Amino acid sequence: MGVALMLASCGKQETSTPNPWRKIVDYKPSTFTMTVEGNVSAINTDWITMSQSGNTVTFTTTRNLTGLIRRAEFPVSGSNFKVIVNQKSGSIDASLSSSLVSQSLGQATVNINISTSNIDDYESWGIIYGKENDRSKGTTLPQDDMFVVGANPVTLTDLEEGEDYYVWAYVETTEGDIVYTSNTTGIVPPVYVAAGDDLQAAIDGVTKDFTEVRVSGDLVHNGTLKFTNPKSMSVTGGWNEDFSEQDITKKSVIDGGFNKAEDAEGNPFDFHKAECRSKSFVSTNNGSCAVVIGSFTAPLKSTLTINNFEIRNGFDDNDGGAMQIATTGNVNIDNCYIHDCHSNHRAGGPMNVQNVDGGSIVFSNTIIKDCSTKEHGGAFSVEEADVTWVMVNCLIEGNVSRNGGGYCGVAMIYNKTKFYAINNTIVNNYNFDEGGTPPDGRNEWSIMHSRDGGQGQEYVMINNLIVGNYSWCSTDDLPYPQYYNVAVNCASNPLVTVDVRNNMICGGFWKDGSAALNSKNTVVASGLDITTIFNDPANMDFSPKGSAVGAGVYDSVVSAILGNYTKDLAGNPRTVDGKIDLGCYQSK
């Protein structure tokens, strides 16, 4: 019996050729028909079925291959027209992953990692990318060189800001078969903000989660910058003209606009002078809080990173001159310089919003300097909320509490908080107290004060340098450094996790369990000359020397937090020869 065999695929008829192999499976559920004379043996597998009606044989792929092509082929042999369907040399599979190498205006370089099996002879390969999950609508980039195991760098061009892009790779065999990989997403070009652009509008306009907003190092944003957009994003400053390189020494600026203060009588207000104790002041130029993240009624639920910004001249008549943070998500402030921000109640620098529970707030490799408040926490305040607050590799210097009711030249840490302070330098901070001669058993005699919050509270301080901090009393206007230390009210509460050790501190700890805490830390003499600990503090060189060098511990508690930060505050390696120093800087 003669053989008349025809294969129809996508409407195209092919006659048989000497090469008996034909591709019949392509990308997704498909049907292929064949016209024959006689009967064909039934072929059924878990991924292809065959049926015959008269002279028409139908082959159908029975499962969606979700973007992954497997090639099935068959020979026709013998007079009984038997059709054999199999996968030549096993399966032909491919998979794709991509990682971003660099981005600049309108383009991105990605590393394409392709793995395959059972493809013996390569003809060519290429990339397809587009905004829609349909490769037929994408842009094809044939590649001149064959892909290699590992990274294959490919540059994608004409990318639109803030859009998701899908990427496919394909391999063409010498037999003419094309094997496509599954697509991958996650390439989202940044939003670019030039020096003259509106940063607030750019942030409000982000439409895709995990978008990066790249900000020119020449940009200065005046007034409050608000983060209410629910999309997760990172806002990174200090970028060069074509946004291809970031300079961590040239920060973009958020300026709250406050630059002049007077007391009620119209006299200039100097936050660092004792005569300004307990006083409020007025902002004569309508300055405002520099950064507002979420609100009490609508806390931010997403992930926000602010990186490489100078945040300055913030003012609030109540709480949080530099930052007010309301989050049930994750807020990360990294490599920022926060300075000259003030308030008339609590937290001259950053403060979380009270009674907004569940968030995580991390300050890393950040300087908080020359901020002031009338009462709680010249540098920052962690108010009454069940939040996780982390300070790591930070310098907290020259901050003031003007008191008038008390508490803390640096920070007040309220009940319910999970507070972690790892490898920070806390130096030259002040408290002007209304009270009598210390010690009088009141809270204001602490540089950092933790209230007892009961079960669930955590208070962890390891590898910190807490030196050169002072208090002035109204009775004699004399400094009392020996009493200006860290008060841990919760130290003896069995419901609270307290891990305070391996810190160097002038004057020791105070309040509950102080003897036990002091035994786990290095307590140095009151009024210590800080030039014995720092290389050049008069010129802001707080890199350690002497006994602070190599004195840090790097155990599981420290590594769980510090392990995410391989550089110190100056950008140098955080460890040298496996050792870590106390404070935020590593000696060279």
Side-chain angles (χ1 to χ4, degrees):
M1 180 183 300
V3 176
L5 177 65
M6 299 176 69
L7 177 67
S9 174
C10 299
K12 181 180 179 180
Q13 301 290 322
E14 279 188 17
T15 58
S16 60
T17 66
N19 183 349
W21 296 99
R22 297 289 183 272
K23 178 175 65 176
I24 65 169
V25 178
D26 185 38
Y27 183 57
K28 58 186 178 180
S30 302
T31 297
F32 302 87
T33 60
M34 175 188 300
T35 301
V36 300
E37 295 179 2
N39 296 319
V40 180
S41 301
I43 302 295
N44 292 286
T45 71
D46 64 342
W47 61 279
I48 190 167
T49 61
M50 187 202 81
S51 63
Q52 182 173 3
S53 175
N55 292 335
T56 301
V57 176
T58 301
F59 295 91
T60 303
T61 60
T62 58
R63 63 184 180 186
N64 192 324
L65 302 179
T66 61
L68 175 69
I69 291 182
R70 295 193 177 193
R71 186 182 64 183
E73 300 166 299
F74 62 92
V76 178
S77 61
S79 60
N80 61 353
F81 311 109
K82 182 178 181 180
V83 177
I84 301 171
V85 179
N86 61 15
Q87 293 172 285
K88 183 180 180 183
S89 302
S91 64
I92 295 179
D93 288 344
S95 62
L96 164 71
S97 65
S98 63
S99 57
L100 186 65
V101 177
S102 64
Q103 297 192 85
S104 58
L105 282 172
Q107 67 179 34
T109 299
V110 295
N111 274 335
I112 304 296
N113 295 277
I114 308 172
S115 60
T116 64
S117 62
N118 298 310
I119 298 180
D120 300 324
D121 299 312
Y122 305 108
E123 183 72 24
S124 63
W125 77 291
I127 299 297
I128 301 173
Y129 67 98
K131 291 191 294 183
E132 297 185 51
N133 191 9
D134 183 346
R135 71 168 186 264
S136 68
K137 298 179 180 179
T139 299
T140 301
L141 297 178
Q143 301 299 304
D144 295 332
D145 300 322
M146 183 47 57
F147 73 85
V148 297
V149 175
N152 297 270
V154 177
T155 298
L156 313 180
T157 59
D158 299 322
L159 303 180
E160 296 180 21
E161 296 181 25
E163 294 287 346
D164 279 314
Y165 277 83
Y166 298 85
V167 181
W168 295 263
Y170 65 87
V171 177
E172 185 171 3
T173 71
T174 55
E175 296 172 340
D177 297 321
I178 299 178
V179 180
Y180 292 94
T181 68
S182 54
N183 69 64
T184 182
T185 59
I187 298 175
V188 180
V191 172
Y192 302 99
V193 185
D197 292 345
D198 186 338
L199 178 56
Q200 185 67 71
I203 290 169
D204 293 342
V206 169
T207 60
K208 303 288 185 181
D209 271 324
F210 305 108
T211 294
E212 180 185 5
V213 179
R214 289 190 177 181
V215 182
S216 166
D218 295 321
L219 180 138
V220 177
H221 175 87
N222 293 303
T224 301
L225 185 64
K226 296 181 179 180
F227 291 88
T228 58
N229 189 326
K231 298 298 182 182
S232 292
M233 70 181 77
S234 60
V235 183
T236 58
W239 288 92
N240 64 355
E241 186 175 355
D242 70 351
F243 297 95
S244 61
E245 295 183 1
Q246 186 185 31
D247 183 354
I248 64 172
T249 66
K250 185 178 182 179
K251 302 184 186 304
S252 306
V253 176
I254 303 169
D255 193 317
F258 170 77
N259 57 26
K260 185 179 180 182
E262 296 176 350
D263 62 18
E265 289 76 36
N267 301 310
F269 199 98
D270 188 336
F271 306 99
H272 291 83
K273 288 186 177 180
E275 58 262 30
C276 293
R277 68 165 58 89
S278 77
K279 291 183 179 180
S280 297
F281 61 88
V282 293
S283 170
T284 59
N285 61 332
N286 298 315
S288 58
C289 176
V291 176
V292 174
I293 300 172
S295 67
F296 177 76
T297 56
L300 197 71
K301 300 178 181 179
S302 54
T303 296
L304 169 66
T305 296
I306 300 175
N307 167 266
N308 205 39
F309 274 82
E310 179 184 352
I311 301 171
R312 69 191 186 196
N313 300 330
F315 168 74
D316 192 86
D317 199 38
N318 192 27
D319 301 331
M323 306 180 78
Q324 297 167 4
I325 306 171
T327 181
T328 57
N330 303 287
V331 172
N332 305 291
I333 311 299
D334 178 61
N335 193 39
C336 289
Y337 177 33
I338 302 170
H339 66 98
D340 292 289
C341 296
H342 308 279
S343 76
N344 271 335
H345 188 199
R346 293 173 289 196
M351 193 192 85
N352 68 297
V353 174
Q354 288 179 280
N355 300 315
V356 177
D357 295 334
S360 171
I361 301 168
V362 178
F363 285 81
S364 58
N365 294 72
T366 288
I367 297 173
I368 304 177
K369 177 177 170 57
D370 294 333
C371 297
S372 83
T373 187
K374 183 180 177 182
E375 295 186 16
H376 303 172
F380 64 93
S381 187
V382 190
E383 295 296 318
E384 298 187 51
D386 183 6
V387 298
T388 298
W389 187 292
V390 179
M391 305 290 295
V392 56
N393 284 343
C394 292
L395 173 64
I396 302 171
E397 195 265 340
N399 303 284
V400 177
S401 170
R402 302 187 307 280
N403 209 325
Y407 311 132
C408 322
V410 171
M412 168 62 78
I413 297 134
Y414 271 80
N415 46 359
K416 298 194 294 184
T417 301
K418 298 175 178 63
F419 178 74
Y420 299 85
I422 308 293
N423 277 95
N424 302 288
T425 297
I426 302 168
V427 62
N428 291 340
N429 300 283
Y430 304 91
N431 182 31
F432 298 128
D433 180 38
E434 278 283 327
T437 303
D440 62 0
R442 299 188 312 167
N443 291 331
E444 50 262 47
W445 300 113
S446 55
I447 186 70
M448 299 176 70
H449 184 82
S450 173
R451 283 188 171 178
D452 194 341
Q455 188 168 9
Q457 185 179 8
E458 297 181 26
Y459 194 81
V460 178
M461 295 185 68
I462 304 173
N463 293 346
N464 300 285
L465 276 173
I466 309 170
V467 295
N469 304 288
Y470 292 87
S471 175
W472 269 260
C473 293
S474 60
T475 55
D476 50 17
D477 283 336
L478 295 176
Y480 284 87
Q482 62 267 40
Y483 299 114
Y484 217 51
N485 41 39
V486 177
V488 186
N489 273 19
C490 54
S492 61
N493 189 334
L495 299 178
V496 178
T497 299
V498 177
D499 188 2
V500 178
R501 55 190 167 87
N502 212 65
N503 305 282
M504 182 180 291
I505 177 171
C506 283
F509 290 86
W510 182 62
K511 302 292 284 189
D512 295 351
S514 59
L517 290 179
N518 287 334
S519 68
K520 298 178 182 179
N521 297 270
T522 300
V523 179
V524 295
S526 302
L528 174 75
D529 182 356
I530 62 174
T531 61
T532 63
I533 296 178
F534 302 115
N535 280 299
D536 190 6
N539 292 301
M540 288 294 291
D541 181 358
F542 291 104
S543 59
K545 65 180 181 180
S547 59
V549 174
V553 296
Y554 199 85
D555 55 18
S556 59
V557 177
V558 174
S559 65
I561 296 175
L562 198 61
N564 296 318
Y565 307 96
T566 60
K567 305 292 186 180
D568 71 355
L569 183 55
N572 299 313
R574 182 63 269 199
T575 59
V576 175
D577 296 329
K579 295 182 178 180
I580 187 170
D581 298 341
L582 298 181
C584 59
Y585 294 105
Q586 190 75 13
S587 57
K588 298 178 181 179

